[in-house]
């Protein structure tokens, strides 16, 4: 490890570093909130044949850049599935909660089942050298087709949108990023991806749900915007999740219009 991470473990708490700051102000970014909850759920699972298949994160209130603790409880443990409830606290206040479904892997049925075909642009190679100080690489696609852009300006159009993400630092200092933790962080990207319009991002997400048929293989995670629906300031969007081998699941985010304020990082030009 290189000593750079989003959180440092301190007893039963996790202390956010400045890297954990989100785009909406002096708060922890929602993807790191969900990622940390996913990390603790996975850490506490003692059965390697149980695969995290669904994670729903409710972002109840802004989480300040202050220590957090995550509590989990198993609400159902069967032979083939386990249900886990989790909550993140700052002091007595709950800032986020989540539920997770873990399923036992087994034999795959032989028949192919039809699914809507979705094509992702190929992930670009890592820059050489990787710019110093970056915590992740984000390539967006949109108004210029399959041409990748660093920054979110490519989404400023009324058309298809895609993104590839490559994490560069661990979530928790001293702990290698697992495939599920990376997926839990990437699930939050569905909100900005599906709710970004020609004039920028005007919705802030209240939750997201990640579903996985398998864990990702390799360091790249991609999302393709599939749907957006909004009315009277309430929006929902769905994206398909990819690794380099193909689709592995989906992510859905519910959001509220946030008039009069747009996150600075959502206005990065190409």
């Amino acid at each position: 490890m290189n000593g750079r991470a989003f959180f440092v473990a301190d007893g039963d708490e996790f202390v956010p570093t400045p890297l954990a700051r989100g785009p909406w102000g002096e708060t922890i970014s929602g993807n790191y909130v969900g990622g940390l909850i996913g990390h603790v759920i996975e850490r506490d699972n003692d059965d390697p044949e149980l695969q995290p298949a669904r994670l729903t994160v409710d972002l109840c209130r802004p989480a300040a850049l202050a220590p957090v603790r995550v509590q989990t409880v198993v609400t159902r443990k069967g032979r083939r599935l386990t249900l886990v409830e989790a909550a993140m606290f700052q002091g007595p206040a709950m800032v986020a909660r989540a539920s997770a479904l873990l399923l036992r892997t087994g034999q795959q049925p032989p028949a192919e089942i039809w699914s809507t075909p979705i094509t992702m642009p190929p992930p670009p190679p890592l820059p050489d050298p990787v710019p110093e100080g970056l915590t992740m690489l984000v390539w967006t696609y949109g108004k210029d087709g399959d041409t990748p852009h660093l920054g979110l300006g490519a989404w400023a159009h009324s058309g298809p949108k895609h993104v590839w993400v490559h994490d560069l630092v661990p979530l928790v200092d001293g702990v290698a990023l697992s495939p599920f933790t990376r997926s839990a962080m990437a699930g939050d990207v569905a909100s900005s991806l599906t709710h970004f319009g020609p004039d920028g991002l005007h919705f802030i997400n209240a939750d997201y749900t990640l579903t996985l048929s398998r864990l990702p293989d390799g360091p790249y995670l991609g999302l393709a915007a599939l749907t957006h629906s909004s009315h009277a300031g309430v929006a929902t969007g769905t994206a398909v999740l990819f690794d380099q081998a193909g689709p592995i699941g989906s992510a859905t985010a519910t959001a509220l219009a946030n008039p009069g304020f747009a996150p600075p990082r959502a206005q990065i030009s190409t």
Side-chain angles (χ1 to χ4, degrees):
M1 298 301 173
N2 59 10
R4 299 178 71 236
F6 299 103
F7 295 93
V8 176
D10 182 15
D12 64 350
E13 292 187 326
F14 296 90
V15 181
T17 72
L19 299 179
R21 181 184 181 276
W24 297 96
E26 295 297 321
T27 58
I28 300 172
S29 181
N31 57 324
Y32 306 135
V33 169
L36 186 62
I37 290 175
H39 162 75
V40 173
I41 290 172
E42 184 178 40
R43 181 199 67 187
D44 294 347
N45 172 38
D46 58 2
D47 188 338
E49 292 185 358
L50 285 175
Q51 176 196 298
R54 192 261 303 154
L55 175 70
T56 296
V57 179
D58 291 311
L59 302 168
C60 306
R61 60 191 297 171
L65 289 171
V68 297
R69 67 186 189 281
V70 179
Q71 298 176 352
T72 64
V73 59
V74 174
T75 58
R76 170 77 169 90
K77 191 171 182 66
R79 186 176 65 86
R80 302 185 66 189
L81 67 83
T82 293
L83 288 170
V84 180
E85 300 290 330
M88 176 181 286
F89 293 89
Q90 287 188 319
M94 183 175 67
V95 297
R97 66 177 186 177
S99 63
L101 171 67
L102 291 81
L103 298 177
R104 187 169 302 281
T105 56
Q107 184 176 353
Q108 173 69 10
E112 281 194 33
I113 299 174
W114 182 87
S115 180
T116 303
I118 307 238
T119 302
M120 278 289 292
L126 291 178
D128 185 20
V130 174
E132 190 174 346
L134 288 183
T135 59
M136 68 175 66
L137 288 166
V138 179
W139 298 272
T140 59
Y141 304 77
K143 60 186 179 183
D144 294 322
D146 286 351
T147 301
H149 294 262
L150 292 173
L152 308 189
W155 292 346
H157 78 136
S158 295
K161 300 186 292 288
H162 306 81
V163 62
W164 282 106
V165 177
H166 189 299
D167 295 295
L168 299 174
V169 303
L171 181 71
V172 178
D173 190 42
V175 181
L177 268 178
S178 73
F180 178 60
T181 299
R182 291 192 298 107
S183 301
M185 291 193 292
D188 180 74
V189 177
S191 181
S192 54
L193 172 69
T194 61
H195 303 321
F196 207 104
D199 58 348
L201 180 62
H202 298 291
F203 291 93
I204 184 169
N205 62 320
D207 78 350
Y208 70 90
T209 293
L210 169 74
T211 64
L212 293 169
S213 62
R214 63 174 174 84
L215 295 176
D217 183 15
Y220 286 90
L221 277 172
L223 292 95
L226 190 61
T227 67
H228 168 88
S229 177
S230 57
H231 180 74
V234 176
T236 181
T238 302
V240 180
L241 192 70
F242 286 78
D243 66 6
Q244 289 177 268
I248 62 172
S250 64
T252 300
T254 310
L256 287 166
N258 203 31
F261 179 76
R265 294 183 198 176
Q267 297 176 337
I268 296 174
S269 60
T270 56

